[in-house]
Amino acid sequence: MRHRFPRLSRLGASLALALTASIANLRADDMTPRQQRQPCGSPAALDDGWVTASPESVGMDSERLCGIAARLSLRSSEVHSVVVARHGRLVFEQYFSGIDQPWGQPEGRTEFTATTKHDMRSATKSVTALLVGIAIDRKLIASANEPVVKFFPEHHQVKSAGWDAITLHHLLTMSSGIKWDETLPWTDPNNDEPHLAFDADPIGYVLAKPIAAPPDTLWTYNGGGTDLLGNIIEQVSGKSLEAFAREVLFEPLGITDFEWKTYKNGKIAAASGLRLRPRDAAKIGQLVLDHGRWKEQQIVPAEWMDQSIAPHFQAVGYFGGTLFYGHQWWVGRSFAAGKEIRWAGAFGWGGQRIIAVPDLDLVMMTTAAQYGQPKEGLAAMDILTNIIIPAVRDAH
């Protein structure tokens, strides 16, 4: 037919091209001018305190950042969000749909956006440590060298021998030496963590734990110590942990939409219960870079912020033993662009990561649902090392 009626064939082709162009024009007309020129990962304007900018304006390669989604797809990562800030400006954010296990809610698929809150899980510990520093700065607590038992006289009868030597510093650095194990299955009665959620007196449970080693000699990951710190803050402030955090940390950061969940026993989960928008969580990372300042306000004392990300212990047995531990903050490094890059991070189960890279003045925040996966959090560190850090085009 094409050979017999060449003019009809050419006419049909012309009509098809015209129809395709018309559809494309209609689609373009349906888009707002901003959508038509919106580059990959361009941050939304939410009036939440962040100044937004293009990656190029802060010395980063936007094309390289746009490869994040493809890189994540290689690992079937179940990452829900990636947020990047540099030089105090938000330059990239990307959100994905996925199966989530939000605290206290049934598992289900969620379409994540810039305004969707996400569980922070144990990244909450890093926030609680900042609140301790603020409480010390406000003279509510004398110092991190205060003995823990001073704040719990009503538990004198249950505390194990050796607790008198344990200070807030030991809880902050997870070097208290108490016998504690969170590595067992959640249903195992020997897993200490569920006791924080279900025991009528979780404080008594923690203080009754035997001492396995003298303080400052053994590092053991321990959410029970963090819950003690949260309770101490409530005692000295006369407020709930959530109310104190709102007043001294979140409101100054312009964080208005957050949750701090409680356990089944009604106690606030100081070690794991925080839910934040990823953009707001990234502000915590910016505090690290700016030595506790946000905009023109000193929110966390500079000395405390710097001490929090200084290595105090080798985190033996975690993530291959390559990490150090500060005041409830992880300290590590990536090998990128032919050199080692230092960073500090708040880590939460399932792939929640707030990473501050001081030498590059860079923040990366990710949320995910890699719960129970043997390499949870790997995807976040992969894109940090292989895409985000190499996307930096200058050295400062």
Side-chain angles (χ1 to χ4, degrees), residues 119-329:
D119 286 2
M120 293 293 105
R121 301 297 173 113
S122 285
T124 306
K125 293 179 173 68
S126 304
V127 175
T128 296
L130 299 186
L131 296 176
V132 173
I134 294 172
I136 292 173
D137 185 58
R138 297 188 175 208
K139 312 301 183 186
L140 301 175
I141 300 172
S143 76
N145 294 319
E146 288 281 89
V148 172
V149 295
K150 169 185 174 180
F151 299 95
F152 302 102
E154 70 279 10
H155 288 88
H156 177 75
Q157 298 300 321
V158 302
K159 71 180 177 64
S160 294
W163 264 99
D164 290 341
I166 298 173
T167 67
L168 272 62
H169 167 79
H170 298 131
L171 299 185
L172 287 161
T173 57
M174 296 196 179
S175 64
S176 65
I178 73 171
K179 183 177 175 59
W180 191 270
D181 191 348
E182 295 186 11
T183 63
L184 300 170
W186 185 259
T187 54
D188 190 321
N190 293 316
N191 186 335
D192 291 300
E193 188 178 15
H195 291 274
L196 301 175
F198 299 111
D199 280 24
D201 181 15
I203 299 299
Y205 176 83
V206 178
L207 292 172
K209 294 294 294 181
I211 306 301
D216 256 343
T217 63
L218 179 68
W219 185 89
T220 304
Y221 192 75
N222 182 345
T226 312
D227 271 20
L228 292 184
L229 292 171
N231 189 276
I232 290 170
I233 291 171
E234 292 188 323
Q235 289 184 46
V236 300
S237 68
K239 301 173 182 177
S240 70
L241 186 62
E242 180 179 8
F244 184 73
R246 183 189 302 276
E247 176 188 332
V248 304
L249 182 62
F250 294 144
E251 285 185 353
L253 284 172
I255 298 175
T256 58
D257 187 13
F258 75 95
E259 295 177 78
W260 206 317
K261 308 296 285 188
T262 58
Y263 295 123
K264 294 287 187 181
N265 55 20
K267 308 295 185 183
I268 195 163
S272 57
L274 195 57
R275 285 173 53 80
L276 292 170
R277 296 178 179 182
R279 290 168 61 122
D280 287 336
K283 294 176 183 178
I284 306 296
Q286 191 64 43
L287 277 180
V288 173
L289 298 182
D290 292 338
H291 308 282
R293 291 179 67 85
W294 173 255
K295 309 298 183 182
E296 301 303 318
Q297 184 176 359
Q298 191 75 43
I299 298 175
V300 179
E303 184 179 3
W304 184 265
M305 188 75 261
D306 295 342
Q307 287 177 359
S308 295
I309 64 168
H312 291 278
F313 272 90
Q314 177 93 38
V316 177
Y318 274 73
F319 306 102
T322 59
L323 294 176
F324 307 107
Y325 205 71
H327 284 173
Q328 309 273 293
W329 282 81

Side-chain angles (χ1 to χ4, degrees), residues 4 9 22 28 49 54 92-93 108 138 167 180 185 220 234 293 311 344 350 359:
R4 284 188 179 183
S9 179
S22 298
S54 68
F92 183 91
E93 63 178 354
R138 297 188 175 208
T167 67
W180 191 270
T220 304
E234 292 188 323
R293 291 179 67 85
D359 290 346

